[in-house]
Amino acid sequence: MTPLAQRLADVDARIGEAARANGRDPGDLTRIVVTKFHPASLVRELHELGVRDMGENRQQELSGKAVEVADLRDLRWHFIGQAQTNKARAIRRAASAVHSVDRARLVDALDAAAEPGDDPLDVLVQVNLTDDAGRGGAEPDQLVPLAERIVAAATLRLRGVMAVAPLDEPAGPAFERLAGLAERVRAVAPEARWISAGMTGDFAEAIACGATHLRIGSAITGPRPVRA
């Protein structure tokens, strides 16, 4: 077993343990491998190991890798970073899902970026779980209007919510708040049941609070390459 295969197996085992400890079926969870700064060759290695959901948080890197591995037809790219409206078309061309929709202008830009024949784009509302308005994500009181705008968009499909745990408090209570906020979104779109939460250091807490999509990076990929 290669080191990459071993790390993947170890993380999947930990995900399974956390799910079962909370009375959940591990098969109901989607593990997204975040390949930030790693080459497209790693994406191919992960695909050979059975990984089908990959994540990127920079449009340029997402677009470049998507082209390099375009022959892997069953690959799903998840865009998880802060999105600029002028990059909406490029993001839409490469991604199957955008987890970081946090303002009305981005909703409109992603919707307008659709081309004839495009499938609906899965999107999630990113929630800011901190008191810092400068952090990415919509404020809780913006969730319902933003969800309604997504539902009204002709080419978008509201899937749920996403958040990053704050740095200055335990992840568990923050993810509990996210679970409550997810209910507000489901009041607008009952089928929007995705909760994208949990990274390398806190995915067990996210699973305990109902996360459906986990964004795991270095625990699987290993250290990020040094960038020049």
Side-chain angles (χ1 to χ4, degrees):
M1 183 178 288
T2 66
L4 178 63
Q6 184 64 63
R7 291 192 298 268
L8 180 64
D10 289 346
V11 168
D12 283 350
R14 290 166 56 198
I15 290 172
E17 290 171 4
R20 288 186 289 272
N22 288 280
R24 301 185 62 192
D25 181 351
D28 292 337
L29 303 176
T30 298
R31 176 253 297 123
I32 300 166
V33 180
V34 181
T35 58
K36 180 180 179 180
F37 297 155
H38 289 275
S41 57
L42 182 71
V43 175
R44 291 190 179 278
E45 291 180 59
L46 288 163
H47 186 269
E48 290 176 2
L49 293 171
V51 176
R52 295 297 180 268
D53 292 275
M54 308 284 184
E56 284 294 339
N57 65 355
R58 297 172 67 250
Q59 175 269 316
Q60 295 92 331
E61 199 165 356
L62 167 70
S63 297
K65 287 180 186 173
V67 169
E68 287 190 66
V69 298
D71 55 303
L72 304 178
R73 298 295 183 182
D74 55 350
L75 201 61
R76 293 178 293 272
W77 283 105
H78 299 254
F79 185 76
I80 60 176
Q82 295 304 299
Q84 300 174 24
T85 54
N86 65 348
K87 302 292 181 66
R89 187 172 301 278
I91 291 170
R92 179 144 196 171
R93 296 277 67 77
S96 299
V98 178
H99 290 229
S100 49
V101 175
D102 60 358
R103 59 199 186 280
R105 287 185 61 230
L106 182 56
V107 174
D108 296 344
L110 288 169
D111 190 29
E115 296 182 357
D118 278 356
D119 292 330
L121 177 67
D122 290 336
V123 300
L124 295 87
V125 177
Q126 182 176 356
V127 186
N128 183 1
L129 296 178
T130 77
D131 294 326
D132 180 0
R135 290 286 299 271
E139 299 301 318
D141 62 359
Q142 299 171 348
L143 285 185
V144 169
L146 197 52
E148 291 173 342
R149 197 177 189 101
I150 294 169
V151 169
T155 70
L156 306 181
R157 179 165 50 200
L158 179 59
R159 284 297 199 176
V161 297
M162 182 273 261
V164 177
L167 298 175
D168 58 354
E169 69 170 295
F175 289 147
E176 287 180 7
R177 293 201 304 278
L178 180 63
L181 294 169
E183 294 181 5
R184 297 188 193 179
V185 172
R186 287 197 294 273
V188 176
E191 69 281 5
R193 307 196 67 83
W194 291 13
I195 298 179
S196 173
M199 299 188 292
T200 292
D202 55 25
F203 65 77
E205 291 90 337
I207 290 170
C209 295
T212 61
H213 289 65
L214 313 171
R215 310 182 305 273
I216 314 295
S218 58
I220 293 173
T221 61
R224 291 172 182 165
V226 176
R227 295 176 67 86

